Amino acid sequence: MNWEGSLRNVAKKCNSNAILEIINSVPDSQWKADTEKRDSNKTHGTTRALFLKYKNQNYEKTDVTLLQKLKPYLDEIISQVKEFYGYQNLQLTRMIVTELPKGSIIPEHVDEGEMLSTNHRVHIPLLSDPAVKFMLDHQDHYLEPGNGYEINNQLVHGVRNESNINRLHMIIDLKEWTDEQKTPKWWEVDLEKK
């Protein structure tokens, strides 16, 4: 979403430990399959990806089982973001989890795409360390687990993982919908289909 500023804390009560426990149950083969489908390897280097709700020109996936397990925690996060912005109806449009190996970097870049001008992109750190530096507009930030941060990804940003752990972030895209759009809730669309 285009906005003035670089970083804001939009959710302060994210149950990162419970989310992490669910994510840790995902087999490595699923991470590998999703990482191979990601269309931004040049930008994100050695970062691994796990898609929970994802669509690009070449690939679409909705992991109903994982979304059902995560629903109570996602509802809490979405509620906090709605309150932060004063929105009535905020829907989850995309969700991925990324893992940046220790000693790795995501080079500085600017994100592109129409979706980024209409959605709020919120990072929820699940596993991090103060030695993981999120560079945003040429300043280093530590994104602490248990919080949800919206970054202005129209600014130059990147990550240096100088820690001894693999950094793990859940990234969700959220969009405000109006009544005229008559869009069902994200869980009605995704979680009741089987």
Side-chain angles (χ1 to χ4, degrees), residues 82-124:
K82 276 173 61 174
E83 184 176 330
F84 182 89
Y85 290 110
Y87 290 153
Q88 295 299 310
N89 186 10
L90 191 64
Q91 298 298 319
L92 179 75
T93 57
R94 185 169 160 175
M95 181 175 167
I96 67 172
V97 178
T98 62
E99 180 185 65
L100 181 65
K102 57 187 173 185
S104 298
I105 66 165
I106 297 173
E108 289 188 337
H109 63 284
V110 174
D111 292 344
E112 298 175 354
E114 183 180 333
M115 182 177 183
L116 297 174
S117 65
T118 59
N119 284 255
H120 295 277
R121 177 155 290 169
V122 178
H123 284 246
I124 296 102

Side-chain angles (χ1 to χ4, degrees), residues 15 20 38 43 61 81 112 129 141-142 146 151-152 167:
N15 195 335
L20 183 60
R38 194 166 193 193
T43 303
K61 177 182 174 185
V81 176
E112 298 175 354
D129 183 274
H141 300 273
Y142 170 51
I151 65 159
N152 184 344
R167 182 205 80 160

Side-chain angles (χ1 to χ4, degrees), residues 8 19 21 27 29 41 47 58 65 67 85 89 91 100 103 109 113 126 129 136 142 186 188 192:
R8 48 190 168 196
I19 295 168
E21 188 175 322
S29 58
N41 289 336
T47 302
N58 306 314
T65 303
L67 287 170
Y85 290 110
N89 186 10
Q91 298 298 319
L100 181 65
H109 63 284
L126 303 176
D129 183 274
L136 183 58
Y142 170 51
W186 68 269
E188 293 170 342
E192 293 176 5

Side-chain angles (χ1 to χ4, degrees), residues 17-178:
N17 290 330
I19 295 168
L20 183 60
E21 188 175 322
I22 294 167
I23 297 303
N24 281 337
S25 72
V26 176
D28 193 57
S29 58
Q30 193 170 339
W31 280 89
K32 184 177 181 190
D34 287 350
T35 300
E36 289 173 358
K37 297 288 185 183
R38 194 166 193 193
D39 61 355
S40 58
N41 289 336
K42 292 178 189 171
T43 303
H44 295 99
T46 59
T47 302
R48 294 192 329 150
L50 178 65
F51 301 144
L52 287 91
K53 182 175 172 65
Y54 185 83
K55 182 178 181 179
N56 69 17
Q57 294 174 344
N58 306 314
Y59 187 65
E60 183 173 354
K61 177 182 174 185
T62 300
D63 189 323
V64 174
T65 303
L66 276 178
L67 287 170
Q68 285 175 328
K69 290 178 183 178
L70 291 166
K71 184 181 182 314
Y73 312 110
L74 291 170
D75 285 347
E76 182 181 334
I77 293 166
I78 291 169
S79 175
Q80 290 179 65
V81 176
K82 276 173 61 174
E83 184 176 330
F84 182 89
Y85 290 110
Y87 290 153
Q88 295 299 310
N89 186 10
L90 191 64
Q91 298 298 319
L92 179 75
T93 57
R94 185 169 160 175
M95 181 175 167
I96 67 172
V97 178
T98 62
E99 180 185 65
L100 181 65
K102 57 187 173 185
S104 298
I105 66 165
I106 297 173
E108 289 188 337
H109 63 284
V110 174
D111 292 344
E112 298 175 354
E114 183 180 333
M115 182 177 183
L116 297 174
S117 65
T118 59
N119 284 255
H120 295 277
R121 177 155 290 169
V122 178
H123 284 246
I124 296 102
L126 303 176
L127 191 58
S128 194
D129 183 274
V132 176
K133 308 296 184 191
F134 195 102
M135 301 167 290
L136 183 58
D137 201 22
H138 309 292
Q139 293 183 349
D140 286 346
H141 300 273
Y142 170 51
L143 305 186
E144 189 175 351
N147 292 279
Y149 301 93
E150 181 174 15
I151 65 159
N152 184 344
N153 49 10
Q154 302 301 296
L155 300 174
V156 173
H157 61 282
V159 185
R160 295 186 321 271
N161 187 350
E162 299 171 352
S163 76
N164 292 320
I165 63 168
N166 295 341
R167 182 205 80 160
L168 205 62
H169 272 207
M170 182 171 70
I171 304 168
I172 59 176
D173 290 338
L174 301 165
K175 182 178 179 181
E176 182 183 29
W177 295 93
T178 63

